[in-house]
Amino acid sequence: HAEMTAAIMIRFEKLLDKKKPDMVLVYGDTNTTLAGALVSAKLGIPIGHIEAGLRSYRMDMPEEINRILTDRLSSLLFCPTPQAIANLKAEGIKKGIIRSGDLMYELIDCYRKKVTGDPGIFGRFGLNSGEYLMITLHRAANVDNKEPLEKVVDILLDFRLPVIFPVHPRTEKNLRRFRLWGKLKKSPLLHLIKPVSYLDSLSLMAGAKAVLTDSGGVQKEAVFLGTPCLTLRDETEWTETLKCGNHLVGLSKRKIFSVLKRAGGSRRKMKYTIGGKKPSEIIADSVYTFLRK
């Protein structure tokens, strides 16, 4: 983390010195987000944080540290949910808070017809829509230690449906390090593939019977596309998704198979507009107003 964040900061500072922007927008909770915010703050450039206020209340998650520090440095805090606003106010942050709605949902909606009407992606892997599972896995708590990764492998080998698994490079590295890669490769139902493009990923999610993930973004994408999601964590920063088809199952095989048996059915639909305005419009208008002042 130190090397990655520092490398980004060094290169980004040179870019800001050259471009001299009026404001820097950072997105989400990655190391890039924090690096961008730190450099901008030290150069006296105002920061707008998109997806501000999200909290998992797990300080052992690098993403949580990135979120909290970025929010503290930002002049404009674009909150996707009412809960995000409540989180910021509970921490004593009251200025610059804007209810923006969720920009990710707006983007998915732009491509919904394309990704739900593309049968080619299933055929490429010999899959049928609604007859396979999809999994993504990358969080340190699940992949950096042997015990949790063994649990994941054990769960995957017990599925009786085809499973498409775009494997994160770090996850593959640790599967090989702990000598678990070979076990997965032997299963005829497991499709271990390289990470796919954004649109292919959405298509695979849209066609899956269910999605299993430890990613915050994939949780949202799955439920917004109407696919049941099993979150391989004990908490989520996206609490509103729990009413819309997202289930916290951790690495419990019992919970996972129980949810899969009853997955499906009607669920509350996600909304992303605020007062009829799209997130992109709210964010752009807010930045314009801020810079005019």
Side-chain angles (χ1 to χ4, degrees):
H1 287 282
E3 289 184 4
M4 179 189 292
T5 307
I8 296 167
M9 290 178 68
I10 290 166
R11 295 176 69 176
F12 191 50
E13 185 176 50
K14 292 176 181 177
L15 184 66
L16 293 187
D17 280 337
K18 181 180 178 181
K19 298 291 185 180
K20 301 189 183 328
D22 298 302
M23 188 172 210
V24 169
L25 293 180
V26 294
Y27 196 116
D29 56 18
T30 66
N31 287 344
T32 301
T33 307
L34 178 59
L38 285 169
V39 172
S40 303
K42 287 177 179 287
L43 292 177
I45 301 170
I47 301 155
H49 184 200
I50 300 171
E51 284 192 359
L54 279 298
R55 297 291 184 268
S56 65
Y57 297 99
R58 284 278 304 272
M59 289 303 292
D60 59 339
M61 287 175 57
E63 294 88 350
E64 186 79 348
I65 297 165
N66 294 343
R67 292 181 198 121
I68 291 171
L69 295 178
T70 300
D71 284 343
R72 286 288 172 183
L73 297 172
S74 297
S75 298
L76 294 180
L77 297 114
F78 297 106
C79 297
T81 65
Q83 184 60 51
I85 295 173
N87 292 340
L88 291 176
K89 289 182 177 179
E91 294 172 11
I93 300 174
K94 297 179 181 178
K95 291 184 178 180
I97 296 175
I98 297 160
R99 173 80 190 278
S100 63
D102 199 313
L103 196 60
M104 270 185 71
Y105 292 151
E106 181 182 343
L107 180 61
I108 296 170
D109 218 23
C110 289
Y111 290 102
R112 183 191 290 273
K113 289 182 180 178
K114 183 172 183 178
V115 302
T116 56
D118 178 18
I121 186 71
F122 313 131
R124 197 187 311 170
F125 300 107
L127 303 170
N128 295 315
S129 181
E131 298 179 6
Y132 66 91
L133 304 172
M134 180 180 177
I135 181 170
T136 75
L137 195 75
H138 78 281
R139 290 205 181 264
N142 283 338
V143 306
D144 281 359
N145 296 297
K146 187 176 182 180
E147 184 178 350
L149 205 49
E150 281 182 324
K151 286 184 179 180
V152 172
V153 170
D154 182 49
I155 291 164
L156 288 174
L157 294 177
D158 265 8
F159 287 136
R160 293 297 175 259
L161 282 175
V163 180
I164 189 82
F165 187 0
V167 188
H168 190 285
R170 177 166 157 215
T171 305
E172 179 177 344
K173 177 184 174 183
N174 286 329
L175 283 167
R176 292 183 183 277
R177 179 161 69 101
F178 298 132
R179 299 183 179 180
L180 298 169
W181 183 256
K183 287 185 178 182
L184 294 180
K185 290 288 284 184
K186 289 178 182 178
S187 171
L189 292 176
L190 272 174
H191 299 264
L192 303 175
I193 64 173
K194 296 293 182 184
V196 294
S197 71
Y198 172 67
L199 292 182
D200 281 353
S201 178
L202 291 183
S203 293
L204 287 169
M205 275 186 250
K209 178 181 179 180
V211 171
L212 295 90
T213 188
D214 59 8
S215 161
V218 172
Q219 290 175 52
K220 294 198 297 172
E221 289 167 341
V223 298
F224 197 68
L225 288 166
T227 303
C229 181
L230 285 70
T231 296
L232 305 175
R233 293 163 50 188
D234 296 319
E235 79 296 313
T236 179
E237 53 277 11
W238 298 103
T239 52
E240 79 282 1
T241 63
L242 298 176
K243 298 177 181 178
C244 303
N246 188 14
H247 309 266
L248 294 177
V249 295
L251 297 181
S252 166
K253 186 186 291 188
R254 179 186 60 80
K255 288 182 181 179
I256 289 169
F257 281 91
S258 174
V259 171
L260 284 175
K261 281 183 181 178
R262 51 188 171 84
S266 60
R267 61 182 67 88
R268 185 188 299 180
K269 291 186 177 181
M270 309 293 293
K271 294 182 179 180
Y272 63 86
T273 55
I274 306 294
K277 294 186 73 174
K278 295 178 180 179
S280 60
E281 295 169 336
I282 295 170
I283 292 168
D285 289 347
S286 301
V287 170
Y288 180 69
T289 301
F290 178 85
L291 293 178
R292 283 192 69 189
K293 290 180 179 178

